[in-house]
Structure formats: structure tokens, C-alpha cells
Amino acid sequence: MTRLSVEEEGESVSKVPPLLEAGNQEPSYQFEQLEYDSLLSHSQNDAKPDLAFPNVDRKYMAKIKLVNDALQDIGMGKFQWTLFFVTGLGWFFDNFWMFAISLISLPVKREFHIDKIGYLIFYKYIGLILGSGFWPLVADIYGRSIAFNFTLFMSGVSGLLAGFMPSYSTLNFMMVCIGFATGGNQPVDSMLFIELIPALHQHLLLYESAFWGLGLFSAAIIGWPLVVNYTCGQDSDCGYDDNLGWRYAYWTYGVLTLTLASLRRFATIYESPKFYISRGNNDKAVKIVQSIAARNNTQSVLTVDDLDEIDQQYGSDLLEHQPTSNKRMLINKYLENYQGWRLLFQTKELATTTSLLWLIWGFCGLAFPLFSGFLPFYLQWKGQTGNENGTNHDLLNNTYRNYAIQAVFSIPSGIIGGYLANHRYVGRKGVGLLGGVSTGIFMYLFIYSTPRKSNSIFSAYLFYNCMISFVTTFIYGAMYSYTPEIYPVPLRGIATATCSVFNRVCGLIGPIISLYLNISNGQPVFLSGALFMVAGLLFLALPYETRGRAAS
């Protein structure tokens, strides 16, 4: 087997990770390669590495190749840019609702007189785990569009209802509902984006992390005045009528989510043609491709006859059109795919890649809630240290002001991280390394910084916190882009699903650990910083760089 090399600026760059060695197994499939200005034309001497996947539908793979070529011919136009912004809402609300929970932790703790506020985040992660396992099933059985639309509406309704909850236990139940909805929205949005975007522009997925930062900033800037001005001052005097700030915030969050979800319906994002191909429906798959071309004021050469010819060539293969009513068979087929996780360890290279990615996703999942979930408490602790004589209102205002300031820095980092990830000397692995190690360093600087004896925004601890917000987006952008790019189609679904679930399960452990640590003096930050640094270093150990390679 030979490895495809691309001549880039005078040097030979290996683009293709041979994650699976070709053997005697049939059928075998191949990675597709690209350069940034054009897709490569392969000659007889440019042999691509064969990748063997047992029990993979040859007919499906042949059709996917035609659809990918058709989407590439259509190019990047009005529909694709609409898709970019619309699917960006999945990233937006993923972080929006995560920080919406940490944002209300202070007033909720005061109103319900509780010591273990970590349960609020714990139950959110329960919902995230359930959602990340359930919504991919819905997307594979009923199509991407149902999960794409419903999850956002469910998030908004759950947020509205959370503002009416009379007790801590009922509020925790609504956290499960919010997590269940948001746990499926971002993965499905990314799935649609990858399946509808031309190969030469799939790197735009990294730039969508800017929406992740925008979600954080929006939650902070909306909640800041509401929480500060309508939150009770002392725990003993805190009741429903005296502590409406966090409820006002959640009602606003819910209305905003429902409004954007409604506007998204008018964008007319089509179902994935690859979903219809997986169901054996050639007519609908071609119709969608032609509709995308029409939205871009062009035409596609793909026809139903092209796909029917593949049907005739391969006959009755594993892929057959399943009636919509036969859901049990589809569910069984989906569960069988999850049982195929062993294929992720089929060769040494593949096993190494999978193991390292599981560790990276797991460490980030554990580290994230240990810091971000309790950030208002850390900022309040620093504020109290620097302003012992300040009033409760001033302290609360400074806490949420600083929260909003640090949130701003997560917006441009998504764009800068996307640029660096496509730079020849950095790439996805370099961005992941930079993000993880830098996050850990700034976390330790944040903990050891000495607050100023004033309410000035020019303080070292706030600067370090802003830098944490900036560089954390790097490692998450690298993580979310590298994983779907490194695996070919037959393994991509199970690979991303196992990484996501592992991330959520580890995230669930974070709040549990926090119950046994002193949140008020930042003990969880020490562990969080170490985990981020290890995750960043693990990017160096990944066998292959995915920059410049089209996802197969």
C-alpha cells in the first residue's frame, strides 16, 4: 500500500492517515483528498491507500461518492452560507444554556438555602448524556430535520418553565430537560453541516466555534443586569419575591431561544441527501441536491439514473429502502452500529487514535464544569478578597460585570483558532496543544493572582480569566473538528458518538467531585487546569494531522 503525498510549497506532505491497513477483507474504501484551491486529480502513480471495513455497504459508499462530487461541483453559495449561520445556532445554544446554568448559581443558592449547588450542573449533565444518546437515534430513523428543529424548541420551552420552578428539586428536573434538548442540538447541527457542505469548505466547521463564544457572551450580558438588580442580599431574607432576577433571566433566555428557533424554520434547510441514500430513496436524494443547486442559481449534473445505475451494478446489497413504518428494524440496525465500536480498535493506528481521542474528550469533559460551572463563585471570591468593605450589590455587580467581560474574549478566539488550524505550521493538533496547555497555565495564574483594592476592571485576575475564555475555545474547536475528519464514513458516526458520550459522562463526574472540594477558594480550578494541560499534550501524540484532507 502506498500513501498519497501532495506537493505543497516545494515539500512532500503526507495527507492520508492509513488508519486501517488493507488486507484480504472485502469491500475496501478510500479516503478522498483535497488541496485548498482544487480537488486532487489522481493518476495511475498516485495510488490512494485502501481502507478495509468489514460489513460496509458498497452501494451506499458508491452513492455517497457521487453526492460528494455533486456538492463540490455546486460549490459554496447562498445555501451553504445560510447553512453556516443556521447550524451555528447549535453551537450558540450549546454554550448559552451551559453558562445560563452557572450564571444563576449564586441567586439560586441564596433562595433555596442549599450548600451543594453542584447538583444543578450534575442534573444538567444527566440530561446531556441522555440527549447525546437519544437524538442521534432520532436523526438516523426519522431524519436530521426533526431533531434539528425540535431540540431548539424544547430548550426554549424548558428554559421558560425553569423560571417558574418553586423548589430546588423541581428546578433540577428542568435542568435535565434543558440538558436533554441541548445535548442533541449541536451534534445534529454539525452532522447536517458536514453532510451538506462542499469538501473544500468543510474547514468552516472550526469557525463555527465563534458562535460558541457568542452564546456565552449573550447569556452573560442578558443575565448581568437582571441578576444584579433583582437578587436578594442575604440568605436569611431571601424568598421568591425578593429573588426574581434569575427567573427574569430564564424567561428572557427561553423567549430568545424560541424566537431564534422560529426564525430558523424560515431558513429552509433541507434534509441531508445522505440520509435518503441510507434509506434507498434515490429520488429524494437527487431532488435535494438539485434544490441546493437552484438556491445557488446553478445546476447539478447528478440524476436519479446515476444512482439507479449503482443499484443495478451492486444489486440487492446491504442497503435496501426501509418503509417508514418499519421502525423496529431501523432501531435494531442503529443499535447494531453502536455495537460496532470494536472496529475503532481494529488496527494499531486506529486503536491509538481512538484511545487518545477518548482521553482528550474525557479530560476536557471533566475539566470544563470544574471551572466554568462555578465561575461566578470564583469571581465573587476574588472580588471579596479585593473589596472587603464593598456592599453586597457592588460585589454582585462586579462579579457579573467581570463574567460578561471575560465572555467577550471567547468570540474572536473561534475565528483565530479556525485560521491557525488551517495554517501549515500549526494545524488541528497545534491548536489543540496551544489551547489545552495555555488554558491550564492561565487557570493557575488566575488562582494565584492578587485582586486590586478597588472595583477596577484593570486587574490581573480578570485578565487571566479573559485569557482562559480565549484559549479554551481553541482546544474545543480542535477537538470538534479533528474527530469527524480523521474517521471515514463507516466509522464516523460511532466514533463521534462514543467520544461525545464519554465527554458527557466525565462531565457528570465534575460536579460530583466539586461536592467534596472547597468551591469558595477555587480548589476545583487546580484539577481543571491540570486536566486541560494533559488533554492539550495528548494532541501531540495523535498519529496524524487532518489539515488539508477532505472527510471521506
Side-chain angles (χ1 to χ4, degrees), residues 1 23 75 85 102 147 175 214 252 261 304 324 336 393 438 471 515 524 529:
M1 178 187 302
F85 288 102
S102 62
M175 294 300 104
L214 186 60
T252 305
V304 177
T324 304
E336 288 174 2
H393 182 274
S438 299
V471 297
L515 298 176

Side-chain angles (χ1 to χ4, degrees), residues 314-359:
Y314 289 101
S316 297
D317 211 341
L318 299 179
L319 182 75
E320 294 293 343
H321 177 56
Q322 301 291 345
T324 304
S325 59
N326 194 356
K327 299 298 186 297
R328 182 181 298 275
M329 183 180 298
L330 293 175
I331 293 175
N332 289 338
K333 183 177 181 180
Y334 179 85
L335 295 178
E336 288 174 2
N337 289 338
Y338 267 89
Q339 295 173 4
W341 64 270
R342 296 179 184 85
L343 293 175
L344 300 177
F345 298 87
Q346 191 170 353
T347 67
K348 179 181 178 180
E349 292 83 1
L350 190 56
T352 300
T353 300
T354 300
S355 299
L356 290 173
L357 285 176
W358 281 10
L359 289 174

Side-chain angles (χ1 to χ4, degrees), residues 70-83 196-198 201 270 288-300:
L71 292 176
Q72 186 60 51
D73 290 338
I74 293 172
M76 195 73 182
K78 177 182 178 181
F79 172 79
Q80 286 77 15
W81 285 114
T82 301
L83 177 70
L196 291 174
I197 209 74
H201 295 85
Y270 303 117
I288 288 177
V289 173
Q290 298 290 357
S291 297
I292 293 174
R295 287 277 291 274
N296 286 3
N297 296 320
T298 186
Q299 294 180 344
S300 174

Side-chain angles (χ1 to χ4, degrees), residues 97 151-161 250 253-255 257-258:
W97 281 108
T151 50
L152 211 55
F153 278 103
M154 183 178 178
S155 299
V157 173
S158 299
L160 278 174
L161 294 177
Y250 261 54
Y253 294 157
V255 171
T257 304
L258 290 175

Side-chain angles (χ1 to χ4, degrees), residues 261-310:
S262 300
L263 292 176
R264 190 162 80 161
R265 292 295 301 272
F266 292 102
T268 313
I269 299 300
Y270 303 117
E271 179 60 80
S272 168
K274 297 175 184 179
F275 165 73
Y276 285 121
I277 288 178
S278 70
R279 301 293 298 278
N281 197 327
N282 296 342
D283 292 341
K284 287 188 176 181
V286 172
K287 182 179 180 180
I288 288 177
V289 173
Q290 298 290 357
S291 297
I292 293 174
R295 287 277 291 274
N296 286 3
N297 296 320
T298 186
Q299 294 180 344
S300 174
V301 297
L302 181 67
T303 65
V304 177
D305 291 338
D306 295 329
L307 300 182
D308 288 343
E309 183 178 347
I310 294 176

